Amino acid sequence: MTILNTIKQAIQHREDQTGFSYGEGRQYIEKTWGEFYRDVCGLIPFYKNCGCKHLGLMTANGYWLLVHSYAAISAGCCAAVVDPVLYTPDVSAMLDNADAALLLVDADFADVAEEMKQTAPQRKVMTFPAPGNVLDEEASEEGKHICFTSGTSHLSKPVLISQKALIATAAAFDAALNGTAADDTYLPLSASHIYAYTATLSLLMRGAKICFGRGIRYTEKDLAYYQPGLVITVPGHMRSILESSRIRVLPKYFAVGGSLCTQENFERASAAGITVQVVYGTTETIGPATISRKDGSSRGMLCMDDKQMRLTENNEVLIAGDLMDGYYRRPEATEEVLRDGWYHTGDIGYLDEENRLYIEGRIRDIIVTENGEKINCNEVDDKLRGLPGSLEAAVFEVDGRMLAAVVPENETVTQEQLELEIGRYNATQPFSRRVAQVWRREENLPRTLVGKLKRAALTKEWAEKNKNAEE
């Protein structure tokens, strides 16, 4: 089973229909399904003859990232997709972990190519070639997709994904997802994230027009132009869309994943007449593993057809079914999370009376206090949201104590003011659940590309800050 054959079957009888749209400069480019297939086949000869089994791909253009990724995989390569917003040294380290001897970038990232030559002279860097006139439709089953984990607590790990598992997951997601082929779908997320990468293949199978975003700052313009029926994004972006007074036409459906969707966020969309589906999964589960019902009645999620789910005694979510092959060149790390066919997600959840799953957070988001009490950081974060004088706030653990990192809404908000507000919060809480110390933080809270809080980074930065102060 190959991606190329899946594409070929999916576009039968609609080769001349518009399948993709993306922004380029001040205009929007449209591509038919047939053009897409020919672009992929026109690049397969290049990747078969590039001399590299493992390679990296980097561009902000969703259409061309997909074309080159599918072509490289079809040629039998292991193609690692990296996000261009990352710092070049981080990209270099990630590509080293994936054994990528070649990095291909589009012309907009010539500066990255030059930086890469300085930081990693052993790696060949070149710009994307244009599709050739010779079309190769002979696809290899050996090619694999490499996607990197979000790296909330460490450098991202390369996840190896087979074509078979990717296709099965995409088909299951398509079956569970709201909308039809008639609903143009807006994808503002980078395809370097597994949620967007798998969703794109699902939409391709469905035959829905795929409208790629150019980044969050272009959302208003993109939505006005595309007027999609379905938007696949992260919860925070959905909230921004709902809060914008400039967006006149809202979609019928949202599918949100990649981070926690609060009940408040869910209800706000529902009140606006939008049906929301909540999606949960990880890079290791190839993106979507559970999804809420199409009627939008609840955030509670059911397992997709290609997966199985259960909870441990400690309420850790385990997933089986179509999963990653493993972390590339990291057998010990793979064995740590893949046991007896079950992937141990590290996420905590609970099931309601209808066996619907609700995610509460990460195991490492649980603080065990000095007296042994367990506190869910996400619950405290929710209570601190909207704290007077703050732009954002989050708690983290240091030596069994709960500290709060607070970003002031402007430079006039003092440490004393923030401590006063936290003190008012503490007065409503039992002694064991109070915030022990306030860190007035000038920079925004550290987050991953899809908005997940890097809580471990706060603990590390606090330790370094205090170490430097002592020195």
Side-chain angles (χ1 to χ4, degrees):
M1 184 181 296
T2 67
I3 284 180
L4 191 65
N5 287 339
T6 300
I7 298 171
K8 189 173 184 178
Q9 293 173 15
I11 69 170
Q12 283 182 350
H13 311 303
R14 53 186 172 94
E15 292 92 338
D16 296 329
Q17 296 177 16
T18 301
F20 298 87
S21 184
Y22 60 91
E24 190 170 83
R26 297 191 176 188
Q27 60 181 339
Y28 287 89
I29 308 296
E30 296 197 335
K31 293 277 190 174
T32 66
W33 295 111
E35 287 177 310
F36 173 74
Y37 182 74
R38 290 189 291 274
D39 283 342
V40 173
C41 292
L43 281 165
I44 291 176
F46 166 79
Y47 285 105
K48 283 186 175 180
N49 295 292
C50 71
C52 293
K53 178 71 174 178
H54 288 239
L55 50 88
L57 305 170
M58 187 167 68
T59 175
N61 185 302
Y63 175 82
W64 287 112
L65 184 64
L66 205 65
V67 166
H68 281 272
S69 175
Y70 287 174
I73 292 171
S74 298
C77 300
C78 291
V81 175
V82 292
D83 196 294
V85 304
L86 298 174
Y87 291 113
T88 301
D90 290 339
V91 171
S92 183
M94 291 162 69
L95 294 176
D96 285 343
N97 287 340
D99 277 346
L102 169 65
L103 173 64
L104 293 107
V105 302
D106 65 25
D108 291 338
F109 294 99
D111 57 333
V112 175
E114 289 302 315
E115 289 179 20
M116 189 66 70
K117 290 175 183 177
Q118 299 296 322
T119 59
Q122 78 281 4
R123 182 174 296 110
K124 184 179 179 182
V125 183
M126 63 180 294
T127 55
F128 283 135
N133 295 322
V134 177
L135 305 184
D136 188 339
E137 297 184 80
E138 294 296 323
S140 168
E141 294 183 356
E142 300 302 314
K144 296 181 186 292
H145 176 58
I146 294 180
C147 189
F148 294 93
T149 58
S150 58
T152 53
S153 61
H154 42 63
L155 183 65
S156 299
K157 296 188 287 290
V159 174
L160 206 56
I161 298 170
S162 71
Q163 295 179 65
K164 181 180 178 181
L166 175 61
I167 292 167
T169 301
F173 188 43
D174 173 33
L177 189 64
N178 264 321
T180 67
D183 290 300
D184 295 353
T185 302
Y186 177 48
L187 265 174
L189 303 176
S190 168
S192 62
H193 189 275
I194 191 63
Y195 178 37
Y197 191 88
T198 301
T200 304
L201 183 57
S202 301
L203 297 170
L204 193 153
M205 293 174 172
R206 171 177 291 193
K209 180 181 175 183
I210 302 169
C211 307
F212 288 111
R214 292 177 291 170
I216 301 300
R217 68 181 184 275
Y218 291 100
T219 295
E220 293 173 359
K221 184 177 180 180
D222 285 347
L223 286 176
Y225 178 81
Y226 292 137
Q227 296 192 13
L230 169 65
V231 174
I232 299 177
T233 189
V234 293
H237 188 218
M238 179 178 74
R239 184 178 64 249
S240 297
I241 291 173
L242 295 172
E243 291 175 349
S244 174
S245 59
R246 297 182 182 181
I247 297 175
R248 304 297 177 86
V249 181
L250 293 171
K252 292 183 293 184
Y253 309 112
F254 269 108
V256 293
S259 59
L260 291 175
C261 179
T262 64
Q263 184 65 23
E264 177 187 6
N265 203 6
F266 181 83
E267 290 176 353
R268 182 166 192 165
S270 299
I274 301 170
T275 302
V276 180
Q277 284 182 285
V278 178
V279 183
Y280 165 73
T282 68
T283 308
E284 292 86 348
T285 64
I286 318 177
T290 65
I291 184 171
S292 61
R293 289 172 174 156
K294 290 184 177 181
D295 62 9
S297 59
S298 168
R299 288 186 303 131
M301 298 170 288
L302 299 172
C303 214
M304 295 203 316
D305 289 344
D306 73 315
K307 303 285 196 294
Q308 299 90 51
M309 171 193 66
R310 65 183 177 89
L311 302 184
T312 66
E313 292 181 356
N314 296 324
N315 292 329
E316 181 183 6
V317 180
L318 307 188
I319 303 290
D322 292 302
L323 303 171
M324 67 171 180
D325 288 357
Y327 300 121
Y328 178 66
R329 286 198 319 172
R330 295 192 178 189
E332 292 181 359
T334 301
E335 291 172 3
E336 186 177 327
V337 297
L338 272 181
R339 295 174 238 158
D340 299 322
W342 290 90
Y343 169 62
H344 292 243
T345 66
D347 291 318
I348 296 173
Y350 69 91
L351 300 175
D352 66 11
E353 64 280 358
E354 296 184 37
N355 281 325
R356 294 177 299 192
L357 174 68
Y358 295 80
I359 298 297
E360 296 185 288
R362 300 287 291 167
I363 289 177
R364 59 175 172 265
D365 285 340
I366 301 298
I367 292 177
V368 181
T369 64
E370 294 172 309
N371 64 1
E373 184 170 355
K374 295 180 180 180
I375 301 174
N376 188 324
C377 292
N378 293 296
E379 292 179 0
V380 181
D381 291 349
D382 286 343
K383 292 176 181 177
L384 294 182
R385 185 176 289 114
L387 189 77
S390 72
L391 191 63
E392 55 179 346
V395 295
F396 61 102
E397 183 266 339
V398 175
D399 299 328
R401 299 185 306 141
M402 182 168 65
L403 279 63
V406 184
V407 180
E409 61 183 3
N410 57 56
E411 61 184 16
T412 66
V413 178
T414 66
Q415 173 77 21
E416 290 73 21
Q417 287 175 283
L418 295 178
E419 289 177 351
L420 178 63
E421 295 300 335
I422 290 292
R424 289 172 176 161
Y425 164 77
N426 281 343
T428 67
Q429 302 296 311
F431 182 80
S432 60
R433 301 181 68 86
R434 293 179 181 178
V435 175
Q437 195 168 347
V438 180
W439 173 18
R440 184 183 184 278
R441 179 185 166 89
E442 298 292 344
E443 303 85 7
N444 289 335
L445 299 180
R447 297 185 183 277
T448 67
L449 295 175
V450 294
K452 291 181 180 178
L453 177 69
K454 292 186 174 183
R455 205 178 300 275
L458 290 174
T459 301
K460 182 179 179 181
E461 287 181 33
W462 175 263
E464 291 175 350
K465 174 176 175 289
N466 283 274
K467 180 180 178 181
N468 293 334
E470 291 174 1
E471 293 175 352

